[in-house]
Amino acid sequence: MNQTLPPRGPLSRVPIVCLAGFMGSGKSTVGARLASQLGWRFVDLDERIEASSGITIPQFFERHGEPAFRQLEADELRAALGRAVEQKEPTILALGGGTYAQSGAPEFLRNAGVPVIWLDARIEVLLSRCLTMTGRPLFRDEASFRALHAQRIASYQLADFRVDSSGDAALVVAEILRRGIAGVPAADLEAHLELEKPKS
Ligand code: S3P
């Protein structure tokens, strides 16, 4: 991994961690849980895009097309990172399925010193999760889904960490914390959770 990216820029002083991965990999579910366990803010890039455009992502694709979507996605990514730094808010940022696969995105995040976790799940798992959900304009049929996944793998492999997300979100979060990927050693987190517990 990381063979084609330049050395990482200095780590952002405000802890920010990005979750990348294909559609159905659990970025939003895992991200929200992880943020809540860490006591960090959770930002979902797709939600930011919908909030700033005032329309849903399928509507955006239909009205403006994918290139305009990618432009807005890149703008919102910059804005989300900027906001986290400005407001000094430790943040878990769930990217969209295609964000990290766009040209320049891995370099941009590496330069910004933001670690990226690739949530990787078996294609059958991704497929079964996406089959039951609507609202994904790039999920058309199984063949194109598989082809897009194959095309993006090389980009996801540039991430700093890979975590298997085929299983339950709680297990994925536990694995991220166990490995200290969010920059919080497990011992510190236990102390944090201890403090958060309501006094009996
Ligand atoms: C996309 C994935 C979606 C959303 C948009 C494009 C993609 O995000 O950003 O539909 O290019 O794979 P999720 O992975 O959260 O579904």
Side-chain angles (χ1 to χ4, degrees):
M1 277 199 197
N2 302 333
Q3 277 164 4
T4 60
L5 288 183
R8 196 208 300 264
L11 274 181
S12 149
R13 267 190 292 157
V14 180
I16 305 172
V17 173
C18 278
L19 300 182
F22 203 61
M23 290 175 262
S25 59
K27 300 176 294 294
S28 303
T29 317
V30 169
R33 271 188 108 115
L34 178 61
S36 132
Q37 290 210 26
L38 290 166
W40 292 12
R41 180 158 182 247
F42 173 63
V43 176
D44 188 309
L45 193 60
D46 285 341
E47 277 177 14
R48 299 307 317 148
I49 292 170
E50 292 192 330
S52 80
S53 65
I55 51 178
T56 65
I57 289 178
Q59 284 169 337
F60 195 97
F61 267 73
E62 206 175 302
R63 289 188 205 171
H64 308 293
E66 185 170 350
F69 174 81
R70 297 301 171 196
Q71 184 58 56
L72 179 56
E73 182 178 49
D75 293 347
E76 286 299 325
L77 173 59
R78 273 167 213 280
L81 296 185
R83 214 161 25 229
V85 171
E86 204 175 288
Q87 295 175 5
K88 299 191 175 56
E89 269 187 327
T91 299
I92 299 292
L93 174 59
L95 303 177
T99 319
Y100 196 65
Q102 300 311 302
S103 156
E107 293 77 7
F108 168 70
L109 288 168
R110 173 146 287 229
N111 239 332
V114 173
V116 177
I117 305 175
W118 169 29
L119 298 185
D120 181 26
R122 278 174 285 114
I123 184 80
E124 284 71 26
V125 173
L126 299 171
L127 200 49
S128 75
R129 288 178 183 161
C130 290
L131 276 170
T132 58
M133 292 158 104
T134 53
R136 288 190 167 104
L138 292 185
F139 179 49
R140 297 190 188 100
D141 53 58
E142 181 174 340
S144 64
F145 188 81
R146 285 179 183 272
L148 188 59
H149 180 260
Q151 187 188 314
R152 286 181 176 170
I153 284 287
S155 303
Y156 298 139
Q157 284 174 342
L158 296 171
D160 300 279
F161 305 96
R162 176 191 162 276
V163 172
D164 188 335
S165 68
S166 301
D168 193 72
L171 297 176
V172 182
V173 170
E175 173 67 4
I176 293 172
L177 296 174
R178 189 190 65 75
R179 287 169 58 186
I181 295 178
V184 181
D188 288 5
L189 185 69
E190 273 158 31
H192 167 81
L193 292 174
E194 205 55 45
L195 287 175
E196 296 279 300
K197 273 190 199 150
K199 290 193 183 78
S200 49

